[in-house]
Amino acid sequence: MFTIAGLLVSIFFGWPEALYLFAGKDAQGEVLHGSNSERWTSDGGRGYRTYEVRAIEYTFVEPDGTLRKGEDTLSPDSQVKRGEKVWIRYTPGQEGRSRLAGNINWRGVAGFFASVLSAIAFVGHMIWDASRTIRNSATEQIQTDSNSPPDRHDV
């Protein structure tokens, strides 16, 4: 049960990365605005803490001429400035996503692969345990049959 739940959660976080990997395209974009800001994050159940990021707004054009805008975050000491050319990784279409190329969610990728390996190990263990149970019951049946007296048929 936990393996299935873990796999579903990891798919939720790993799916966008899979989309970028398999359906993503690259385009050159231009930075519209960049500023440092504070974000909030959970502190392991002990409350919340803030951390600083550099929020970047950018624009780019898809090959079909569609103008798109997006936003991504970098480390606060990033030197990306307004008007600078940057590479964008995006998924095409109306509902497509975008991010700065190379800004990969490694936690989502690692969590996905860890849960897939966990699911494989879980299924492998279930198969091994089932085969062991079948093997043991077959051995017990053979031993029981060899110790019982033969059937007598009175005719």
Side-chain angles (χ1 to χ4, degrees):
M1 183 67 168
F2 291 114
T3 301
I4 293 170
L7 188 60
L8 291 175
V9 168
S10 71
I11 288 171
F12 176 77
F13 288 106
W15 181 250
E17 294 305 317
L19 284 176
Y20 284 126
L21 178 64
F22 296 114
K25 308 283 184 202
D26 292 320
Q28 192 169 36
E30 184 176 330
V31 175
L32 297 175
H33 178 71
S35 63
N36 287 5
S37 63
E38 286 188 345
R39 300 280 167 105
W40 293 83
T41 186
S42 173
D43 196 13
R46 296 183 300 266
Y48 293 93
R49 64 180 175 84
T50 61
Y51 62 100
E52 193 174 357
V53 296
R54 180 137 181 97
I56 305 295
E57 294 177 27
Y58 53 84
T59 185
F60 65 100
V61 179
E62 287 190 50
D64 67 359
T66 304
L67 179 65
R68 297 210 8 216
K69 292 182 180 182
E71 183 180 311
D72 204 353
T73 58
L74 297 171
S75 67
D77 57 346
S78 171
Q79 299 300 315
V80 178
K81 295 181 177 55
R82 181 184 179 136
E84 189 173 331
K85 301 289 185 196
V86 291
W87 283 100
I88 308 297
R89 184 77 173 169
Y90 70 96
T91 54
Q94 190 96 341
E95 299 295 320
R97 301 169 175 236
S98 67
R99 68 168 184 216
L100 295 172
N103 204 6
I104 300 169
N105 177 5
W106 288 111
R107 285 187 213 160
V109 172
F112 175 74
F113 283 112
S115 66
V116 167
L117 290 175
S118 173
I120 290 170
F122 177 73
V123 169
H125 179 72
M126 286 178 49
I127 291 169
W128 175 79
D129 194 40
S131 69
R132 185 180 61 152
T133 301
I134 292 169
R135 193 173 39 250
N136 287 344
S137 71
T139 303
E140 288 173 8
Q141 184 65 39
I142 291 170
Q143 289 173 351
T144 303
D145 289 346
S146 66
N147 291 335
S148 63
D151 288 342
R152 291 190 156 172
H153 297 289
D154 293 329
V155 181

